[in-house]
Amino acid sequence: LARFWLDSCDTTHQCLSTSEPSFTPTRLVDLTNAKARLHSYSGTEAHIKYATLSHCWGRTQRPVLIKDYLQNYHKEIPADAISTTFRDAMMVAKMLGFKYIWIDSLCITQDCRDDWERESALMTKVYSNSGLNISAAGARDGSVGLFFPRDEKLTSKFNMSSEESTTPHTWFLCSVGFEQLTSMPLMRRGWAFQERVLAPRTVHFTQSQLYWECNEVHACELIPQGYFRQILPTIDFGDTTLRAVSTWKGIVNWYSQRELTKSRDKLVAISGLARAGQSDLLGKYVAGFWSKDLVSQLCWNVHLKLGHRPPKYIAPSWSWASIDGPISMPGYLTETVCIQVQDAVVVSAVEGNAFGEVLSGTLSL
């Protein structure tokens, strides 16, 4: 079924039309040999077609890429570093025609802050240029994997031909719809939100069925030909400041409902979406806001009073990013605006990176 969706997207959609043919991630996991190994992009090779993985790290501890392992990982990634989820994702990627896959803990040096900062700044490109994002949506950690036993009472099997192919396909009709996807463990994670939105197409593996999302079709085993309504907020920022700011507000509202293991990642884990939206329509990026129409963005509130401030500084108090918990940023102001923003200044933790962590910020009204 995943192959059917992928082939249909390749032949009838324009989902990859905005990809950068020249972009390849710094490192990828090479699946061309019997043993997976790390591959570093030299900059002179032809474009490499690759898949990505979205997954929950969970509490299960496994070896990750560190500086001392770099040389050995280029020869072979040890078996104890390949979780069940990683193994399943590698198998799925190969079966769907991908020779390389990007996995965060194997492709970013976890004990090198400079490498982590540099690679996290590339998240927009890594996921938006992915040939397919494989989502371990139903797995709470790497020990679970992509595949789950099916309850026979909830599924029925039948054959059906499609317009794209005269060969009958086997489908599993499940009794739960697309809404179940939102309750999966991965859907509650902050980092996974931008991965899901940025990727041109994603296949989700859950306990009940497969789900497909691309820029043109949302589908599942229950509705394999396509779902009728938009599930995710769009990253179409439009051609006016009003539309662009409204889109950003929707993104923040969705994102703030997600959880992060480390509060310090609050701005970093949405930086890919911020980079994707950067334009003259929005102006300068300041601690989770845009300088254009900043007043309306400042009118956020803590949703149902469920939020709290983390013990360590994350963002200035006027920023929604200073709160752990869901916030609500109204789409349009109906009240009279009684303030005017004179200036907003933020000191970034990494000089020149306005989209990462911040050290301080001041707002003049």
Side-chain angles (χ1 to χ4, degrees), residues 81-227:
I82 301 176
S83 66
T84 303
T85 297
F86 292 179
R87 185 190 66 233
D88 288 351
M90 291 175 187
M91 180 187 69
V92 168
K94 290 176 70 173
M95 290 180 66
L96 294 177
F98 294 91
K99 298 179 180 179
Y100 297 87
I101 188 171
W102 188 91
I103 300 175
D104 50 9
S105 62
L106 299 180
C107 295
I108 300 177
T109 311
Q110 302 295 319
D111 65 341
C112 178
R113 190 65 186 176
D114 289 344
D115 191 70
W116 191 89
E117 292 282 356
R118 181 172 57 252
E119 294 303 310
S120 63
L122 291 174
M123 289 299 95
T124 305
K125 292 187 175 183
V126 169
Y127 280 92
S128 61
N129 289 285
S130 166
L132 178 67
N133 185 41
I134 299 169
S135 164
R140 66 184 182 278
D141 58 44
S143 68
V144 177
L146 298 183
F147 306 107
F148 300 86
R150 295 288 184 94
D151 185 344
E152 294 181 0
K153 297 178 182 178
L154 297 178
T155 61
S156 58
K157 180 180 177 182
F158 64 98
N159 294 324
M160 183 177 70
S161 299
S162 67
E163 294 179 0
E164 288 80 7
S165 173
T166 56
T167 303
H169 294 274
T170 299
W171 306 87
F172 286 91
L173 183 62
C174 304
S175 63
V176 287
F178 215 101
E179 286 75 9
Q180 194 214 22
L181 179 60
T182 61
S183 66
M184 292 294 103
L186 185 64
M187 299 300 105
R188 297 192 290 268
R189 305 306 303 166
W191 279 99
F193 176 71
Q194 72 169 1
E195 296 166 3
R196 183 183 176 195
V197 176
L198 288 170
R201 48 197 192 183
T202 297
V203 58
H204 301 277
F205 289 80
T206 76
Q207 289 96 330
S208 62
Q209 58 177 318
L210 291 179
Y211 294 85
W212 172 268
E213 292 178 314
C214 70
N215 291 343
E216 297 191 27
V217 170
H218 289 180
C220 60
E221 292 178 50
L222 177 64
I223 313 172
Q225 298 296 343
Y227 201 66

Side-chain angles (χ1 to χ4, degrees), residues 246-286:
S246 177
T247 295
W248 180 249
K249 290 177 179 178
I251 287 172
V252 170
N253 288 341
W254 274 68
Y255 171 69
S256 68
Q257 300 174 43
R258 271 64 181 173
E259 302 167 358
L260 290 166
T261 302
K262 300 178 181 178
S263 295
R264 63 182 291 181
D265 291 342
K266 179 64 70 71
L267 289 170
V268 182
I270 198 176
S271 62
L273 291 171
R275 291 177 189 275
Q278 186 178 23
S279 72
D280 292 338
L281 292 175
L282 290 168
K284 183 175 66 173
Y285 189 70
V286 283

Side-chain angles (χ1 to χ4, degrees), residues 51 55 64 78 157 181 241 285 325 344 351:
H55 67 105
V64 296
K157 180 180 177 182
L181 179 60
T241 294
Y285 189 70
E351 186 177 357

